[in-house]
Amino acid sequence: MKATATEMVRLGGAESDERPVGRSMKRGFFGTCPACGRGRLFRAFLKSVDACDACGERMDHHRADDFPPYIVVTIVGHVVLGGYMMTDLVLPLSTWQHLAIWAPVTLASAVALMQPVKGAVIGLQWALKMHGFGGHEDRPEDTLPPRDPSA
């Protein structure tokens, strides 16, 4: 399928309900339901609610898994490494002083970012109708060709 300049390519099918990715991820980042933006997304620090209190959208079938920690490690690692290198250029600190500064900064920023990033990943999955959010169960999109018995 080729898309021309006037056509709009939609991810997740051509249904009429709109699920903007940016808005859904923003709602998830702030801990609200990606569908309505009113209900809570988390019942505990990293445990999502089973369903939204406001609109009833199910949230228990998401699969954020290890993706949020990977994103957090990437963000925090770049920020802390840049901060360490800039500090080292300006102030001649010992290794223990750097450790006293950057270990708590790393830990605090990783903990602070974990829930918002997980919420954004859940919002992304909802917007793209992944893992049960589209009303169908997860199954492979393609099938393997039949096996040749002579091989």
Side-chain angles (χ1 to χ4, degrees):
M1 176 182 140
K2 245 183 180 177
T4 63
T6 59
E7 292 180 20
M8 189 166 208
V9 177
R10 294 179 187 261
L11 297 174
E15 294 180 16
S16 62
D17 63 325
E18 290 292 320
R19 293 186 178 192
V21 174
R23 183 183 71 191
S24 303
M25 289 180 67
K26 181 180 171 186
R27 287 177 175 175
F29 186 84
F30 289 116
T32 59
C33 173
C36 67
R38 293 185 311 269
R40 289 180 332 169
L41 185 57
F42 295 101
R43 64 178 171 186
F45 181 63
L46 290 177
K47 276 287 202 197
S48 65
V49 295
D50 292 332
C52 176
D53 295 337
C55 69
E57 178 77 27
R58 284 186 54 210
M59 296 291 162
D60 59 344
H61 45 70
H62 74 83
R63 291 190 187 164
D65 297 334
D66 293 337
F67 192 44
Y70 290 139
I71 295 172
V72 169
V73 165
T74 302
I75 293 170
V76 171
H78 281 85
V79 170
V80 168
L81 183 64
Y84 168 80
M85 291 173 70
M86 286 190 300
T87 305
D88 201 39
L89 286 173
V90 175
L91 299 171
L93 299 176
S94 69
T95 304
W96 287 106
Q97 289 170 324
H98 276 295
L99 188 63
I101 293 169
W102 296 109
V105 168
T106 303
L107 185 63
S109 57
V111 169
L113 271 178
M114 188 59 68
Q115 186 183 38
V117 169
K118 183 172 181 175
V121 168
I122 293 171
L124 175 69
Q125 289 178 358
W126 180 84
L128 297 180
K129 299 179 183 179
M130 297 169 63
H131 307 301
F133 285 120
H136 54 80
E137 65 181 62
D138 281 342
R139 65 186 181 287
E141 293 292 328
D142 55 349
T143 57
L144 294 174
R147 196 164 195 203
D148 185 15
S150 62

